[in-house]
Amino acid sequence: MDVFGGIEAGGTKFVCAVGSGPDDIRAQEQFSTTTPEETLGKTIEFFKEQMKKEDIKAIGIATFGPADPDPDSPTYGYITSTPKPGWRNTDFAGNIKEALNLPVGFDTDVNGAAQGEYIWGAAGGLDTFIYLTIGTGLGGGGMVRGKLIHGLIHPEMGHMRIPHDREKDPYQGKCPYHGDCLEGLACGPAIEERWGQKAHTLPPDHPAWDLEAHYLALGLHNLICTLSPRRIIMGGGVMKQSQLFPKIRKKVLKLLNGYIQSPEILEHIDRYIVPPGLGERSGVLGAIALAKSVTM
Ligand code: ADP
Ligand code: ZN
């Protein structure tokens, strides 16, 4: 069984792990995201220690962004335009590769999670699907015909514009670039600012969740119409509110209004819009999955 290293690089914390898959994680460590020097230093130290014991074949990095996942670009493997202090123009993949002398796979956190869900989780057998996370931000990645989606840069599904009725919801939105884009209206911190309390303290029958499901369903409608995914996986802290799933499914059916004539949507919406099969481990296992895919 080949062993890989995975780095789930979040804006708040880094999780590093070594293993071959969900049933075989041999070591794991996490620490806060501080400066690039300190954080990458700790990351490198962890893997150097692990390499004394394990024959690690490659490292996968599933990172916050924006990042450059284009192997032909001069800034491939960089964190690029992030507002996160100190991280702008950081050669993430290059530093790791040089220090550890191993092949490195590098992609967004959501594309990593998608790769993990593809190999071991809820996307099983489907080559065209979307993975969305609704947490501190709102991001999306996924695959088309078995390939992770890249293009000019990488998808920024969270920043799509959706209808916003300011009479019903006067909240101006949280996105520093767009205000009331999907992320601005539906990310965890937006829920908290709008209702003035921590999202996990809002009871399941609070109107916050109907509004949240409404915005997320509008986003899904657009994604279904543009990418024609065979499944949509929804993870992240906000989706721990499992009452959102039936609400979102119902609203998506209503919004599409019978237009997309697929039994997967019309008859099997319960298996069309689903939580991650890997649960909260989809991030770190996604990073390991990115490492695995470099060697395939
Ligand atoms: P990140 O996006 O930083 O990687 P998460 O996906 O865990 O991390 O998202 C964190 C956000 O999700 C928090 O800011 C909070 O708004 C929201 N959140 C976390 N737990 C819950 C919960 N149980 N119910 C609703 N919202 C939650
Ligand atoms: Zn935005």
Side-chain angles (χ1 to χ4, degrees):
M1 194 64 94
D2 281 345
V3 175
F4 303 95
I7 306 169
E8 178 192 6
T12 316
K13 68 175 198 295
F14 265 49
V15 185
C16 299
V18 172
S20 61
D23 305 324
D24 175 34
I25 294 297
R26 301 180 185 187
Q28 184 166 319
E29 195 174 299
Q30 69 176 60
F31 34 86
S32 303
T33 310
T34 57
T35 61
E37 295 71 31
E38 186 180 31
T39 317
L40 298 186
K42 282 187 184 167
T43 303
I44 290 162
E45 199 182 310
F46 169 80
F47 285 112
K48 279 199 169 152
E49 207 46 49
Q50 293 301 315
M51 284 163 77
K52 293 180 188 160
K53 294 176 266 180
E54 304 282 357
D55 178 19
I56 298 174
K57 299 282 184 214
I59 303 283
I61 302 171
T63 184
F64 69 98
D68 185 349
D70 174 5
D72 297 326
S73 157
T75 53
Y76 167 71
Y78 278 58
I79 304 279
T80 55
S81 61
T82 180
K84 202 169 168 52
W87 283 84
R88 223 175 148 86
N89 302 322
T90 298
D91 183 6
F92 193 163
N95 275 304
I96 297 293
K97 196 176 164 69
E98 196 183 298
L100 303 177
N101 198 22
L102 287 171
V104 171
F106 180 84
D107 217 313
T108 58
D109 43 9
V110 275
N111 265 353
Q115 182 79 40
E117 291 292 321
Y118 180 65
I119 307 181
W120 300 300
L126 301 177
D127 65 0
T128 301
F129 68 95
I130 288 170
Y131 180 96
L132 280 179
T133 181
I134 299 98
T136 307
L138 200 159
M143 279 188 178
V144 172
R145 298 259 173 139
K147 288 200 152 53
L148 291 171
I149 312 174
H150 300 127
L152 188 62
I153 301 167
H154 49 75
E156 286 285 2
M157 301 178 194
H159 295 269
M160 70 174 89
R161 303 279 189 169
I162 53 163
H164 174 202
D165 182 340
R166 286 175 186 268
E167 295 205 345
K168 285 199 183 125
D169 173 26
Y171 176 62
Q172 75 283 3
K174 187 87 190 156
C175 177
Y177 289 85
H178 317 114
D180 63 351
C181 64
L182 177 60
E183 173 174 292
L185 290 171
C187 67
I191 301 173
E192 300 184 347
E193 198 167 72
R194 178 188 291 111
W195 300 101
Q197 66 186 90
K198 285 278 165 203
H200 68 88
T201 64
L202 291 162
D205 58 355
H206 192 281
W209 303 118
D210 268 332
L211 186 65
E212 180 70 10
H214 168 72
Y215 290 137
L216 293 174
L218 284 165
L220 295 198
H221 172 105
N222 294 346
L223 291 169
I224 293 165
C225 296
T226 46
L227 287 166
S228 204
R230 292 181 186 274
R231 183 164 292 160
I232 297 176
I233 303 169
M234 302 180 81
V238 172
M239 296 310 296
K240 284 187 202 158
Q241 299 289 328
S242 56
Q243 76 279 11
L244 282 171
F245 281 96
K247 288 185 199 288
I248 294 167
R249 291 178 186 126
K250 207 168 139 199
K251 287 177 196 283
V252 166
L253 282 174
K254 194 155 176 237
L255 286 166
L256 288 171
N257 197 24
Y259 184 64
I260 310 280
Q261 283 288 324
S262 163
E264 284 309 311
I265 291 176
L266 297 173
E267 291 163 35
H268 304 296
I269 192 92
D270 287 356
R271 69 177 190 210
Y272 186 70
I273 298 170
V274 298
L278 301 174
E280 293 189 40
R281 302 164 73 211
S282 65
V284 71
L285 288 166
I288 289 178
L290 289 177
K292 196 175 159 78
S293 59
V294 188
T295 58
M296 289 195 300

